[in-house]
Amino acid sequence: MPLRETLARVDADLAAGRVPVARQRLRGLVSSFPCDLTLRRRLAEVYRLYGDAAEAGRWMFLEEDRTADETAAFEARYGSAGRRMKALAWRGPEALAATSFAERQLAALRTACAEELGQPVDWDDPATYGKGREQNEDEPSGPWTVGGVLAGAGCLVAVLAFLAIWVNGLVDLFD
């Protein structure tokens, strides 16, 4: 789907309150057009609707008018330079950045990652900043949350209930 059409759908989704759908569309666009800072900014705006400062900071990281709180939240969630490189989902050389600020940010992050790992790293080769691959980009780097534990427990209960019903059905079948 063309960029303009997808952005029109994002606008329609937001107007209709379908924020998760708009977020997914924008994530797809950023994946397809990683050098487009406007798309990154729009995605940050959507994450602000969720109240997720770390993700807003992630997608505003290359913008000069980013907020310090969001940037700090992003850096805390993605603790290493390698994880931040992976999270930014940039592809290509820094020279593709639309602004000199973004270019400097990308170069500084790549340099920090190379220093952390003791080897050269390349935006186009995530294997070179492999320590960033240790955790899914959407997972918080902190400890377990109450919500996460409850969600996991709920899933376990649902699976056990399903198995109990299934086993009872098998027992009835053979009786």
Side-chain angles (χ1 to χ4, degrees), residues 9-10 20 51 75 101-102 128 142 149 164:
R9 287 185 180 204
V10 166
E75 290 174 343
F101 180 82
T128 63
V149 170

Side-chain angles (χ1 to χ4, degrees), residues 97-137:
T99 67
S100 60
F101 180 82
E103 185 175 353
R104 288 191 307 272
Q105 285 292 100
L106 291 165
L109 183 55
R110 184 180 44 78
T111 299
C113 185
E115 289 173 0
E116 279 180 10
L117 298 176
Q119 68 183 32
V121 296
D122 184 338
W123 286 104
D124 287 329
D125 186 4
T128 63
Y129 48 93
K131 287 190 178 178
R133 294 180 297 150
E134 293 171 356
Q135 190 168 2
N136 183 309
E137 67 188 36

